Amino acid sequence: MPRPPAQLRALPLALAASFAAPVHAHDILQEVVVTAPAMAAPLTVITNPRAPRQPAPAHDGADYLKNIPGFAVIRKGGTDGDPVFRGMAASRLGILLDGEMILGGCGMRMDPPTAYVFPEAFDRITVLKGPQTVKYGPGNSAGVVLFEREPKVRKGFSADAEGSLLAGSFGRNDQVLKADVGNESYYGEITGTHSHSQDYKDGSGRQVHSRYDRWSVNGAIGLTPDENTRLELSFAKSDGHAAYADRSMDGTAFDRTNVGLKFEKLRISPLLARLEGQIYRNYVDHVMDNYSLRTAAGMQMVSNPDRETQGGRMAATLELSPRSALETGIDFQTNDHTLRKASGTAVTGYDELARSPDMRFRTWGVFSELTHELNAAHRLIGGARLDWNEAEDQRSGKTTSGRSDKDTLKAGFLRWESALAPTTTVYAGLGHSERAADYWERTKAPDATSSTMTGSASTFFLKPERTTQLDVGVIHAAGPLRGSASLFYARHKDFIQIRQINAFATDALNIDATTYGLEGDLSYALGRFWKTWTTLAWVHGENDSTGRPLSQIPPLEARLGTGYDDKTWSAGALLRVVQGQKRYDAGYGNVVGQDIGASAGFAIVSLNAGYRPRKGLLVTAGVDNLFNRTYAEFISRSGAMVGGFTQTTRVNEPGRTLWLKANIALN
């Protein structure tokens, strides 16, 4: 019997994927402008972050993810929005950078993990939907996003470089340069990025407090003594500042330092197909104040949290039989968060103050994931995970000060996939995930009565959140037609919800909830050069404990596009249509924000064009929000009073935006 299609087979020694060459720059420059990445395999979306796209090329991780069906972004200013997938935000969505976990420091989510992601520094972005894997840490009930690099496979010595330049409205300018060198035995690579923008204007011409400036340097040195072995030392450094339209402070430092060591060995024996190990350290030093990027409305204040994350992972892949492969391993993570702050005349010397530890986390986990081909057309994938999680409250003056909370977290899934025909795959999976409360949920102050949040009560002890979810779907690709649909239904027990008490305080509580929805994409090639496509995303949420709508659920969204590409000239148009959201629960939400009321629907038109004058050079241009529409996303944060700016109900999206980008490959 014939083996199943490639999209259905995942028996590792497709493990060699870790050593496979990424898409080369010249290949990227031959691609049509990317508008909406489609599902490539069951519950999996893979996209190239350096390929040109519409709307304007992304400057951070959340900005890139919002173009994948099912994602939305909570806007706070010009950068550092929080990604939301299927209505689930923050710790429910795992974000890994080259297999490493990074967590922000700000207690008000100025710096979510994607704030430290510069998409063009990576070779591939992979989205794994739902609790349908156990390999990437605990609590990822919504899914996992992997930002990944891959060194090239070389035959002899070579040196390459590629880069891009972007200019756009509101003073936007980006620069990216990537260079690498190596042969069969060693390699080195380095990537530098810089992104800058002034305050943008909404469709009504109102300026939004949103300027930012960000830079990063990422590098790696690797040894490959043979084609089956790799030892890599990696590093990263980044910083910047950003203005926020949704609060009384701005981010004046986003200093991240990273170092990691990774080892991989393939084809060790007929049984042991792969052995890998990884350790890393991520340190984030974040500063926010109310005077550097704006005129202070009262007393000057500064807050300087930091977070050190150390982690590691060891895993082995065993080929148990020609039809069965097992990946099993252990991982760990430690998290230490501290804070120092000052006000009035003391702000000038805040960096000399001692840091006060406020919370510590420790997690150890074991996991196993098995892939078994039942026959040529069907396979089963299943996994189980067990984690031991401990949180320690190191704050002073709280009812829980000095106490620890220990949780044992369980996760597992089973998925069936079937090739009904060479062109069609269907699947169904049932998954369960448990998530302990995170830093932001544990640090709420339910009895605070002033802006200093001096209350002693604490939300440190919360029940772990438990999600059980059914995912089903289909993928079809035949000739000019390609499409996919994925549907989910989830029950959330002890779902952690955030409630706004007053202008200065929120608390956290456990509820029961239900969510369900779908994502779909469909494309059709009209001859050699033309292509049309459409996507749809919808999610519905219910608070089962109160009978009210579940908060912070994005409305129905559809995108329709058409494009032309003859490999020299390209052009495209995009229509994004979002329904108004009438289902809300005012004052309730997540650690990022709470519902503030209904929102209106909107439709946005964007255009793009590209020209390839020669191999290795691509120039693209576009206009986003062509008709200069004034609009805001339902889940975006409330506009704050900022001196010199007009306060709006929500932080509005940018008005008409022009951009021009050049991609250049040198080798």
Side-chain angles (χ1 to χ4, degrees), residues 478-499:
L481 180 66
R482 193 207 178 283
S484 71
S486 56
L487 299 88
F488 73 95
Y489 178 88
R491 297 295 301 270
H492 309 270
K493 295 294 184 181
D494 295 317
F495 184 88
I496 301 175
Q497 189 176 53
I498 305 300
R499 174 177 56 185

Side-chain angles (χ1 to χ4, degrees), residues 279-550:
I279 56 173
Y280 62 89
R281 176 184 182 267
N282 269 306
Y283 177 68
V284 170
D285 188 5
H286 173 54
V287 181
M288 63 193 104
D289 67 45
N290 67 342
Y291 54 86
S292 296
L293 301 180
R294 68 176 74 189
T295 301
M299 181 184 296
Q300 291 188 346
M301 296 182 293
V302 61
S303 180
N304 179 201
D306 75 344
R307 186 193 290 262
E308 182 184 47
T309 302
Q310 299 183 69
R313 182 180 190 268
M314 291 187 62
T317 301
L318 308 176
E319 285 205 8
L320 304 178
S321 74
R323 290 185 176 272
S324 300
L326 175 71
E327 184 172 353
T328 185
I330 62 173
D331 53 30
F332 72 92
Q333 183 187 130
T334 67
N335 252 280
D336 289 278
H337 190 280
T338 76
L339 178 65
R340 60 185 174 194
K341 53 187 177 181
S343 59
T345 58
V347 299
T348 56
Y350 80 89
D351 53 349
E352 300 296 327
L353 300 174
R355 294 186 182 273
S356 299
D358 59 358
M359 206 155 290
R360 171 178 291 170
F361 297 87
R362 301 288 183 266
T363 301
W364 285 86
V366 296
F367 62 89
S368 292
E369 195 163 302
L370 177 69
T371 300
H372 176 66
E373 292 187 18
L374 298 171
N375 53 41
H378 307 281
R379 75 170 180 174
L380 288 174
I381 306 171
R385 181 180 182 93
L386 191 64
D387 287 276
W388 294 270
N389 182 83
E390 180 178 4
E392 180 185 350
D393 192 347
Q394 298 177 307
R395 299 171 296 174
S396 61
K398 297 290 182 180
T399 56
T400 57
S401 296
R403 299 180 65 184
S404 295
D405 185 23
K406 298 181 180 181
D407 297 300
T408 300
L409 308 173
K410 301 175 288 296
F413 75 98
L414 181 64
R415 185 169 72 251
W416 167 78
E417 300 176 2
S418 176
L420 296 182
T423 59
T424 305
T425 297
V426 296
Y427 61 88
L430 183 66
H432 177 80
S433 175
E434 297 180 358
R435 182 184 71 89
D438 60 28
Y439 171 82
W440 298 274
E441 292 159 341
R442 292 184 187 270
T443 52
K444 300 307 176 186
D447 67 348
T449 56
S450 72
S451 60
T452 57
M453 287 193 176
T454 56
S456 62
S458 173
T459 59
F460 179 75
F461 288 104
L462 290 162
K463 295 179 182 178
E465 190 175 278
R466 295 168 292 152
T467 297
T468 302
Q469 181 168 309
L470 175 67
D471 284 276
V472 299
V474 59
I475 301 172
H476 176 79
L481 180 66
R482 193 207 178 283
S484 71
S486 56
L487 299 88
F488 73 95
Y489 178 88
R491 297 295 301 270
H492 309 270
K493 295 294 184 181
D494 295 317
F495 184 88
I496 301 175
Q497 189 176 53
I498 305 300
R499 174 177 56 185
Q500 187 79 39
I501 297 176
N502 55 42
F504 307 111
T506 55
D507 71 350
L509 63 155
N510 290 110
I511 64 167
D512 291 339
T514 300
T515 58
Y516 51 88
L518 62 88
E519 300 95 40
D521 63 81
L522 183 68
S523 65
Y524 189 80
L526 302 169
R528 292 179 56 194
F529 304 134
W530 286 94
K531 182 180 181 180
T532 61
W533 58 269
T534 184
T535 68
L536 184 72
W538 172 72
V539 61
H540 181 95
E542 293 287 347
N543 183 333
D544 298 330
S545 297
T546 65
R548 296 195 293 265
L550 188 63

Side-chain angles (χ1 to χ4, degrees), residues 149 189-190 217-221 233-237 256 258-260:
R149 293 182 304 104
E189 59 182 42
I190 190 165
V217 177
N218 299 267
I221 300 171
L233 176 67
S234 60
F235 64 89
K237 180 72 174 178
R256 176 207 174 196
N258 158 262
V259 63

